[in-house]
Amino acid sequence: MFGGADLATDLWYAGVWVSNVDFGDSADLEYDLYAGFTPTVGAVSLDLGLLYYGYTDAPSGADYDYVELQAAASVPAGPATLGAAVFYSPDSYGGGDHSLYYEVNG
């Protein structure tokens, strides 16, 4: 079971997404809270966001909850759009060290 809701304006967005989880322990629900800013600079569309991943009823010491920062940019390229994004978390899922990942898309 899952569901979500979003609110958006021309420059800002915020939302929540919720889903059941089964990690084989007492954690039973994931909820994601997110917000961002989406300005355009010339031809470049930006998306600067903050995401929080939370888990209810997680076992003590599991350290599942974490925060992630997002920076993304895209540009029109003829009939397509080209983009890239970087995601960073100072304290990853399960108590892991920081994490950094990126994507390139079209």
Side-chain angles (χ1 to χ4, degrees), residues 4 7-8 13-14 18 22 36 40 42-43 53 64 69 81-82 84 86 90 104:
L7 295 172
Y13 64 88
V18 178
D22 183 359
T40 300
Y53 300 90
Y64 289 163
L69 304 169
T81 301
L82 301 176
V86 176
V104 176

Side-chain angles (χ1 to χ4, degrees), residues 37-90:
F37 177 58
T38 56
T40 300
V41 180
V44 180
S45 296
L46 300 173
D47 184 352
L48 308 172
L50 176 69
L51 302 93
Y52 175 78
Y53 300 90
Y55 298 86
T56 62
D57 297 328
S60 178
D63 198 20
Y64 289 163
D65 301 352
Y66 67 101
V67 172
E68 188 172 72
L69 304 169
Q70 166 199 333
S74 63
V75 293
T81 301
L82 301 176
V86 176
F87 299 85
Y88 173 75
S89 177

Side-chain angles (χ1 to χ4, degrees), residues 3-26:
D6 296 308
L7 295 172
T9 68
D10 289 341
L11 291 174
W12 298 94
Y13 64 88
V16 60
W17 182 83
V18 178
S19 177
N20 60 317
V21 295
D22 183 359
F23 298 149
D25 58 22
S26 58

